[in-house]
Amino acid sequence: MTDLAPYPKTRKRNLTKHLIGVPIDNGLNAVCVVLWQSSYFRNLITLGISATQLPSGQYPTQLDSVISLIDTGAGVIRSGYWHLGSPVDVTIPSEFSTRISAGNIWCDDRPIREPTFEDIENIPTLGCAGMGLVRNYIHFLYSGLPDAKFHRNQRTIMDRHLANYPIVFNHSY
């Protein structure tokens, strides 16, 4: 039996800045980029979802923007359902990985302090959407439908976080 995904058997592989193809309808893949991978919370990654949709197996040489964010697990890449692409040159601010989890604010897998009420309003809560929810969320984004089913208004907080700490794609011409 051959391995369906070009993902090595080790969990230690850093996927940050790699393109990911998430299958959607009619043989198209939503092009996403891994913006953060936790070394403390096993398999947790943050995907930046782009507006780009390409046929299966094709990846852009560069991305211009990310339209939304979602936290999910890296195991679905290992399973072969999502496709691992090549790395892209992108600058990601260190503040971008700031999360609230287990009663503390975390930045890059380090607990910083307990959150204030203002922090709870402005900093995303650590969560892990499953493969189905990620696919549905991408459908919501592409169709323009309101995403009322997305858990605890996470999208609004994460998109506000994206606006505060922009991601810069470095294009070499």
Side-chain angles (χ1 to χ4, degrees), residues 83-147:
H83 311 288
L84 179 65
S86 60
V88 292
D89 190 13
V90 60
T91 303
I92 304 165
S94 63
E95 296 88 359
F96 181 75
S97 65
T98 304
R99 301 279 188 275
I100 296 176
S101 177
N104 285 311
I105 295 176
W106 292 68
C107 184
D108 285 333
D109 293 329
R110 293 182 325 272
I112 305 296
R113 60 179 169 82
E114 290 187 14
T116 64
F117 288 115
E118 185 178 318
D119 292 333
I120 292 170
E121 290 290 319
N122 295 314
I123 298 175
T125 304
L126 183 67
C128 188
M131 179 176 67
L133 183 57
V134 171
R135 188 170 184 272
N136 289 344
Y137 182 56
I138 291 171
H139 277 286
F140 280 125
L141 286 175
Y142 289 168
S143 66
L145 296 173
D147 53 346

Side-chain angles (χ1 to χ4, degrees), residues 70-89:
I70 193 164
D71 291 331
T72 188
V76 71
I77 300 165
R78 194 175 309 118
S79 73
Y81 187 72
W82 291 355
H83 311 288
L84 179 65
S86 60
V88 292
D89 190 13

Side-chain angles (χ1 to χ4, degrees), residues 53-74:
Q53 301 175 47
L54 293 174
S56 248
Q58 294 183 10
Y59 294 96
T61 55
Q62 63 188 27
L63 287 178
D64 292 324
S65 66
V66 168
I67 60 172
S68 195
L69 308 170
I70 193 164
D71 291 331
T72 188

